[in-house]
Amino acid sequence: MLELNAVESGYGETQVLHGLTLEAQTGRVLAILGRNGAGKSTTLKTIMGLLPLKSGQIAFDGKPIAGRPFDIAKSGIAYVPETRDIFPSLTVRENLEIAAKRFGSNGADWTMERVVDLFPRLGERMDNGGTQLSGGEQQMLAIARALLMNPRLLILDEPTEGLAPIIVKLIHDKLQELKEAGLSMILVEQNFGFATSLADDVVVVGKGQIVWTGSSDDIRADDTVQHTWLGV
Ligand SMILES: Nc1ncnc2c1ncn2[C@@H]1O[C@H](COP(=O)(O)OP(=O)(O)OP(=O)(O)O)[C@@H](O)[C@H]1O
Ligand SMILES: [Mg+2]
């Protein structure tokens, strides 16, 4: 579904990804794991066109990915950044409506009603401003907004960061529901248990390259890779 081949990218003069190659498959969840600073977020930003591809190829459904972030989103990839990036001065409803308006034409699968069914809490908070939301509610809103773009591939950067265990469990169950409904996902996570219980496939990034590839079961059984590359 999404293929990165020998990708090099970074920030200005600073190169972070050094020939990174990976593949995310249709209908599956791929976890990208790795220590702080390994290049996980940089990988996602490069996929989304937020950082320039210096060398290598990125293909979505076999075709080179569109260059600009808006076009990449339009092609069916939704991205929930680490920073969540909801509009603080807008209400929950307005945050959702923006996504629905800009991307609703991608297909009518996801509607306001359906995202509120998934996250009833958002239904209760519709008229609250972005700044009045808890961290968990912000993450639900960020995911709901991404779903309203009717993506074929959902990309999440550390969705559990800073959240209480009970909210982590809720987000886990909702992502599991989406997976069972057939949505393809790429998940970057520091929470090893969370990631490996959701993912089918796992890649580990170390210093801007893939240093390990396998299944969730494989990595759970591999103390050496956990110790060497994740510090678990
Ligand atoms: N805006 C930036 N400008 C310059 N360098 C950056 C920038 N953002 C990240 N870097 C550097 O790029 C490297 C990879 O960072 P990246 O954010 O991709 O790591 P990560 O694997 O997502 O880590 P974390 O688990 O901490 O989120 C790090 O050395 C980091 O310092
Ligand atoms: Mg990161």
Side-chain angles (χ1 to χ4, degrees):
M1 170 170 236
L2 183 76
E3 285 172 74
L4 277 67
N5 179 37
V7 163
E8 317 231 327
S9 101
Y11 305 86
E13 298 286 282
T14 315
Q15 189 172 337
V16 173
L17 303 184
H18 301 275
L20 186 137
T21 296
L22 64 77
E23 184 176 355
Q25 294 184 38
T26 306
R28 295 173 73 84
V29 177
L30 172 71
I32 303 180
L33 306 180
R35 288 183 196 267
N36 291 328
K40 305 180 298 296
S41 297
T42 303
T43 301
L44 301 188
K45 288 183 225 166
T46 306
I47 293 169
M48 295 314 296
L50 300 168
L51 290 174
L53 182 62
K54 285 191 182 143
S55 161
Q57 298 87 33
I58 303 180
F60 186 47
D61 288 339
K63 282 171 260 162
I65 202 158
R68 292 183 308 150
F70 181 80
D71 298 321
I72 292 168
K74 270 279 180 198
S75 75
I77 306 180
Y79 165 60
V80 179
E82 223 169 343
T83 45
R84 294 163 195 157
D85 290 4
I86 61 173
F87 299 112
S89 60
L90 301 183
T91 64
V92 167
R93 188 190 314 280
E94 289 164 341
N95 269 281
L96 293 172
E97 279 170 356
I98 287 179
K101 278 206 193 98
R102 288 179 91 189
F103 295 96
S105 60
N106 274 10
D109 271 9
W110 284 95
T111 58
M112 293 284 267
E113 292 72 33
R114 197 168 159 212
V115 295
V116 170
D117 273 352
L118 185 69
F119 295 116
R121 188 86 192 121
L122 291 181
E124 296 162 23
R125 304 291 259 150
M126 274 295 174
D127 298 312
N128 287 101
T131 49
Q132 295 171 300
L133 303 180
S134 68
E137 289 165 347
Q138 288 181 31
Q139 187 59 254
M140 291 177 216
L141 176 54
I143 295 171
R145 200 176 55 173
L147 292 171
L148 285 171
M149 295 161 71
N150 288 296
R152 285 179 294 130
L153 175 63
L154 177 63
I155 297 184
L156 302 135
D157 197 350
E158 303 213 22
T160 71
E161 194 181 8
L163 303 184
I166 188 165
I167 307 294
V168 172
K169 169 87 171 62
L170 182 144
I171 299 285
H172 179 278
D173 294 350
K174 299 303 176 178
L175 295 180
Q176 183 69 38
E177 249 182 86
L178 295 172
K179 173 182 172 172
E180 281 162 18
L183 184 62
S184 310
M185 288 185 257
I186 296 179
L187 176 63
V188 162
E189 256 300 329
Q190 289 285 344
N191 184 332
F192 183 79
F194 181 97
T196 57
S197 73
L198 277 168
D200 303 293
D201 310 308
V202 178
V203 293
V204 177
V205 181
K207 300 188 182 126
Q209 293 183 327
I210 300 298
V211 292
W212 188 91
T213 301
S215 69
S216 280
D217 290 340
D218 292 340
I219 199 164
R220 274 198 294 253
D222 192 334
D223 292 339
T224 308
V225 69
Q226 288 180 39
H227 182 75
T228 310
W229 294 107
L230 304 175
V232 172

